[in-house]
Amino acid sequence: MFSILTAITGLRGSPTATGVGVGVGVGEALLEDTDGDGKADKFTVFADKLNLPTGIVFARKGIIVAAPPKFIYLEDTDGDDKADKRETIIDCWGIRDTHAQASNLHYGFDNWIYGCVGYSGIEGYVGGKKHE
């Protein structure tokens, strides 16, 4: 048996940088092979209503999702494979263009989380320091 966490999309309309009217049906899903044939046959929506999820990294007992302009921590606390804890970690990523959002989240050797962001940048405070 295998399990995979993957981004799923089911957007209604076109995505926009502001997220207005976007997010319905967009989320993270658990894909499982329950019969051992090498193909996913069980799909569970872990979290939905995310704005353009562009990156995932495992953290603590859950995941951090880049969903501009936010980074959101999601955790299943009751064992039903659905995120029932949702905490905004950062809320200041630039949203000027949907093609230049934060992505490629991963842990570095120093246990910090790294990623990439294009020309949409960041507009706000991180660690008490203002960034533009």
Side-chain angles (χ1 to χ4, degrees), residues 46 57-65 70-77 83 85-90:
F46 180 69
V57 67
F58 289 96
R60 298 184 294 208
K61 297 178 182 177
I63 61 171
I64 295 173
V65 178
K70 301 176 182 180
F71 272 22
I72 303 169
Y73 174 72
L74 302 168
E75 182 181 329
D76 171 17
T77 62
K85 181 176 184 180
R86 187 181 286 237
E87 175 187 337
T88 298
I89 299 171
I90 299 172

Side-chain angles (χ1 to χ4, degrees), residues 1-4 31-38 41-42 81:
M1 185 174 106
F2 67 86
S3 294
I4 298 173
L31 282 59
E32 296 179 68
D33 173 12
T34 61
D35 58 12
D37 68 355
D41 51 41
K42 181 180 177 189
D81 290 335

Side-chain angles (χ1 to χ4, degrees), residues 73-126:
Y73 174 72
L74 302 168
E75 182 181 329
D76 171 17
T77 62
D78 60 10
D80 66 355
D81 290 335
K82 297 179 188 214
D84 41 37
K85 181 176 184 180
R86 187 181 286 237
E87 175 187 337
T88 298
I89 299 171
I90 299 172
D91 187 6
C92 59
W93 290 106
I95 54 174
R96 292 184 293 272
D97 189 329
T98 59
H99 299 91
Q101 299 302 325
S103 63
N104 194 30
L105 303 180
H106 59 279
Y107 275 97
F109 292 115
D110 55 4
N111 208 31
W112 281 58
I113 296 173
Y114 291 85
C116 298
V117 68
Y119 48 84
S120 282
I122 189 169
E123 300 166 358
Y125 291 87
V126 177

Side-chain angles (χ1 to χ4, degrees), residues 48-64:
D48 61 1
K49 298 181 183 170
L50 298 170
N51 183 45
L52 299 170
T54 56
I56 302 171
V57 67
F58 289 96
R60 298 184 294 208
K61 297 178 182 177
I63 61 171
I64 295 173

